[in-house]
Amino acid sequence: MADVNRGNRPLSPHLQVYRLPLPAITSIMTRITGHALVAGILLLVWWLVAAVSSPGAFAAADWLVRSWLGFLILTASAWALWFHALSGIRHLFYDQGLGLEIEEAKKASWAIIIGSVALTLLSLIIFFIS
Amino acid sequence: MRYITPRKAAAGLGSARSGTAHHWQMTVSSYALVILTPLFMIAVGGAIGLPQDAVAAHFGRPFPGIITALFIVVGMIHFIKGTRIMIDDYVYGSANKLAIIASNIFGWGVIAAAIFALAKMAFTTPAI
């Protein structure tokens, strides 16, 4: 240990000054989307419980669900759900030892980003035409 | 030399005595949720914006009712276990234990509320 060079080695880049590579961004987004889904599930379960409670309770929940804020929460939740699902599928591939190379991880990251936006738009289209 | 017996190494349980059980449970619920997620969005999307009695009738039918119940039960168990990883990463000591308890209370509370609502819709809607 005595002759180890302690002063002249490269330092580990600090998280705040280090530009995260794309796979790192999609990785942390998996955790963020998973936890952010709390908002959507709370709104939906409140709406479900209100529907069996009273007309007044349902009117309040239904008002929020149909408002622009409710539309924003539900659309963001749909995107978060699709993102988390796609990147969860990537984790199932990771568990099989697949997709762990850097180039593959970058491609999969773009597939998750583009795929989640596309599936959210598709969900909205299906919702509004049916 | 290794101080672990071959039997212990094969069991792979480690010092926590639970081994890879948590990871395996996340894997199993992930596979279930891959299938349940699009079905759940169809089931819920079909009822958003409907009047109160129509919402109750919608979830009183087998497909929307069963899919929604399954998604919320499996999803919230997946959520509780996923939250546990984040809590263990960022919160320590007594706050860690309190956060895990809070996460369980929240998750099971959501499950209970959703099941209550869906059951009431299923059992008070006329069968046909």
Side-chain angles (χ1 to χ4, degrees), chain B residues 75-86:
Chain B
M76 290 316 288
I77 291 173
H78 186 86
F79 175 86
I80 291 168
K81 290 184 185 299
T83 310
R84 172 69 193 271
I85 307 180
M86 189 176 77

Side-chain angles (χ1 to χ4, degrees), chain B residues 1 5 10 36 38 49 58 67 77-78 88 112:
Chain B
M1 66 171 280
T5 61
L36 287 172
H58 176 84
I67 289 295
I77 291 173
H78 186 86
D88 286 347

